[in-house]
């Protein structure tokens, strides 16, 4: 009898702890890390496992998951000592624009600012350290209450700087569904406003950020109408037609057939369309 298929679950930890059905995609970690791209944009259709992969990456690298190697035992990434030692050693910021939708610009902008507020609150332990100056602590406390639109583009960059000082290591940023705000903006006619805001946000976080180790962005759109990545010459774009990471999202023929065997359905393999 095959393992439970936890349909729709995007939490890597829960899948592993419950020993649910999971096709090992951890080789992506090794390939991405060794490619050394500063900022990677990965576009795939919906339901291709992007969010689960991002969650997996967070739980592999994040210092919040130090000494949690059991989540990766038995998977391909755990075969090398180097990656066993790398697990749980970086500060990681994981945020999603999935809920950043609205019929008006101010609604979406407010949502992004609220998302940033939650990030500052989650890292409020920094206030108890000596890595922030008094003026920075005052601004940090204010950001835990409210972040005005004008301050939002630089807020994420500032947080990475504080984390860098605290841990002594640059920060990995993971941004899931980067293009959700643009989709609603295009439909609801506030495209110019949102593009101006996102361009400044991305420039600060991914281009002029000395505290950034690496970053991954995922979405369904390759490049928006007026490219929000205009000045990101450190960006590697990986689309569905790219050979890079071609087998790291979705299922390969081998993986599908292996799944069919586990569920004693291998005899139906000829009816599977890939």
């Amino acid at each position: 009898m095959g393992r439970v298929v936890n349909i729709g679950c995007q939490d890597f930890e829960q899948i592993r702890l419950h020993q649910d059905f999971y096709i090992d995609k951890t080789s992506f970690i090794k390939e991405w890390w060794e490619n050394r791209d500063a900022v990677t944009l990965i576009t795939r259709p919906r339901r291709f496992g992007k969010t689960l992969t991002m969650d997996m990456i967070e739980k592999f690298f994040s210092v919040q998951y130090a000494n949690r190697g059991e989540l990766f035992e038995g998977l391909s990434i755990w075969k090398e000592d180097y990656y066993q030692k790398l697990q749980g050693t970086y500060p990681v910021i994981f945020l999603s624009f999935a809920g950043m939708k609205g019929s008006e610009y101010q609604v979406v902008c407010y949502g992004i600012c609220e998302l940033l507020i939650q990030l500052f609150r989650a890292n409020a332990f920094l206030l108890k350290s000596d890595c922030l100056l008094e003026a920075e602590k005052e601004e940090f406390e204010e950001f835990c209450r409210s972040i005005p639109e004008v301050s939002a583009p630089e807020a994420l960059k500032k947080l990475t700087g504080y984390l860098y000082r605290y841990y002594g290591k640059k920060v990995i940023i993971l941004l899931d569904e980067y293009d959700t705000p643009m989709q609603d903006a295009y439909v609801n006619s506030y495209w110019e406003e949102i593009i101006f805001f996102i361009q400044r946000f991305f420039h600060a976080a991914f281009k002029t950020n000395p505290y950034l180790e690496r970053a991954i962005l995922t979405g369904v759109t390759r490049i928006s109408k007026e490219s929000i990545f205009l000045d990101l010459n450190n960006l590697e774009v990986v689309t569905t037609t790219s050979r890079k990471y071609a087998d790291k999202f979705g299922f390969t023929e081998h993986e599908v057939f292996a799944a069919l065997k586990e569920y004693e359905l291998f005899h139906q393999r000829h009816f599977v369309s890939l």
Side-chain angles (χ1 to χ4, degrees):
M1 184 65 182
R3 293 163 289 173
V4 171
V5 179
N6 196 337
I7 297 174
C9 181
Q10 300 173 330
D11 189 320
F12 178 79
E13 180 181 9
Q14 291 303 309
I15 289 174
R16 294 293 292 162
L17 290 178
H18 295 155
Q19 298 184 345
D20 293 335
F21 180 79
Y22 174 71
I23 289 180
D24 187 357
K25 295 292 182 177
T26 57
S27 59
F28 171 78
I29 297 171
K30 172 181 167 66
E31 187 174 348
W32 173 67
W33 193 249
E34 294 180 0
N35 279 326
R36 302 189 62 80
D37 296 321
V39 182
T40 306
L41 168 63
I42 298 173
T43 62
R44 290 292 188 278
R46 301 191 187 283
R47 315 310 302 172
F48 253 63
K50 299 187 297 297
T51 300
L52 177 58
T53 298
M54 293 282 265
D55 192 74
M56 171 193 74
I57 294 167
E58 179 195 22
K59 278 148 190 174
F60 182 81
F61 285 102
S62 176
V63 292
Q64 303 301 320
Y65 280 81
N67 302 314
R68 293 298 308 280
E70 78 277 4
L71 296 176
F72 297 90
E73 288 178 0
L75 300 178
S76 64
I77 195 64
W78 215 243
K79 294 177 181 178
E80 297 184 37
D81 289 342
Y82 172 80
Y83 287 97
Q84 289 187 22
K85 294 175 182 177
L86 188 63
Q87 193 275 323
T89 59
Y90 275 87
V92 177
I93 294 175
F94 183 16
L95 65 163
S96 173
F97 280 178
M100 303 301 108
K101 303 177 181 180
S103 59
E104 299 178 359
Y105 166 73
Q106 291 300 332
V107 172
V108 175
C109 185
Y110 175 81
I112 294 175
C113 289
E114 284 294 306
L115 184 63
L116 293 172
I117 290 170
Q118 294 304 317
L119 283 175
F120 273 85
R121 289 176 179 174
N123 290 280
F125 64 88
L126 293 170
L127 291 168
K128 299 179 181 179
S129 72
D130 297 326
C131 66
L132 274 69
L133 302 175
E134 285 305 314
E136 291 172 331
K137 288 184 178 181
E138 290 178 8
E139 183 181 53
F140 195 110
E141 290 175 337
E142 181 59 33
F143 280 178
C144 286
R145 293 188 292 270
S146 175
I147 297 180
E149 178 184 337
V150 69
S151 301
E154 288 286 333
L156 185 60
K157 179 179 179 178
K158 288 183 178 181
L159 182 57
T160 61
Y162 301 151
L163 289 169
Y164 170 73
R165 290 186 214 166
Y166 185 85
Y167 290 108
K169 300 189 76 169
K170 293 185 178 182
V171 180
I172 296 172
I173 300 178
L174 306 174
L175 174 55
D176 197 26
E177 298 201 33
Y178 85 93
D179 50 351
T180 298
M182 277 72 77
Q183 293 169 13
D184 270 26
Y186 186 75
V187 172
N188 293 290
S189 303
Y190 55 87
W191 179 265
E192 297 294 335
E193 294 169 286
I194 199 67
I195 287 300
F196 180 67
F197 177 86
I198 295 294
Q199 279 181 333
R200 290 185 297 139
F201 185 90
F202 282 9
H203 180 83
F206 304 122
K207 176 62 177 178
T208 61
N209 190 350
Y211 316 111
L212 178 68
E213 174 63 38
R214 314 226 188 137
I216 300 179
L217 296 81
T218 67
V220 299
T221 309
R222 183 184 184 276
I223 296 292
S224 300
K225 183 180 177 183
E226 293 179 26
S227 179
I228 57 174
F229 307 112
L230 191 61
D231 64 346
L232 293 190
N233 56 10
N234 59 341
L235 177 70
E236 172 74 5
V237 180
V238 182
T239 70
T240 53
T241 59
S242 303
R243 295 184 64 182
K244 204 170 190 178
Y245 312 134
D247 61 344
K248 300 303 185 289
F249 294 82
F251 299 145
T252 65
E253 180 180 278
H254 173 77
E255 290 166 343
V256 171
F257 287 173
L260 290 174
K261 285 182 179 179
E262 178 170 342
Y263 288 88
E264 300 178 356
L265 295 172
F266 191 68
H267 61 284
Q268 296 189 28
R269 66 189 181 281
H270 299 299
F271 298 100
V272 176
S273 176
L274 296 176

